[in-house]
Amino acid sequence: PLYVVLQIQSIVTIFVAGIVLIYLDIDSALSALFGGAVSVISSAAFAIIVSCKIGFAASDTIRLALRAEAIKVVLTISLLWAVFKFYVNVNAIVFIGTFILIVLIHSVALLVTDNTNKR
């Protein structure tokens, strides 16, 4: 399910950037792309870490999930800082708005079913 959510996040990011490009300017569209990319990259890091199963004990699973979430948070904060630090023409409203939208889409993972058991 996480890989499906990553695809949905990427598609929505590109769609939002296209809409912003039509109505605003190229800097705003790049801001939207960066806002979505921050969330997609941190979600991808989370998915990669969670997919590396260490053990089957509950404590191992919880430890892995907490480690993945901690790395996701640190990566998100670092990427947000990097965009504001190095991209001087950032449109903050578009950047943060797209970031929040894409973070909310991550909750779709709870609704996506795993169809690996086909009849």
Side-chain angles (χ1 to χ4, degrees):
L2 286 174
Y3 297 113
V4 173
V5 172
L6 288 173
Q7 291 174 347
I8 293 170
Q9 285 179 323
S10 300
I11 291 169
V12 171
T13 298
I14 293 168
F15 178 76
V16 168
I19 296 297
V20 168
L21 180 62
I22 291 171
Y23 288 106
L24 295 174
D25 58 354
I26 188 73
D27 288 326
S28 298
L30 285 173
S31 298
L33 281 176
F34 288 144
V38 167
S39 183
V40 170
I41 291 169
S42 60
S43 295
F46 178 86
I48 290 168
I49 294 168
V50 167
S51 66
C52 300
K53 297 178 182 167
I54 294 173
F56 295 103
S59 62
D60 293 336
T61 304
I62 290 173
R63 190 175 302 118
L64 181 67
L66 289 174
R67 184 179 305 131
E69 194 63 37
I71 290 172
K72 180 181 174 183
V73 168
V74 169
L75 189 59
T76 300
I77 292 169
S78 300
L79 290 171
L80 287 171
W81 172 82
V83 170
F84 279 117
K85 173 78 174 165
F86 296 111
Y87 185 48
V88 293
N89 294 328
V90 67
N91 182 333
I93 294 172
V94 172
F95 175 69
I96 297 297
T98 306
F99 171 73
I100 290 171
L101 175 66
I102 303 304
V103 167
L104 291 175
I105 289 175
H106 186 76
S107 63
V108 172
L110 299 174
L111 304 175
V112 176
T113 61
D114 188 14
N115 290 331
T116 56
N117 290 336
K118 296 190 179 190
R119 296 178 193 189

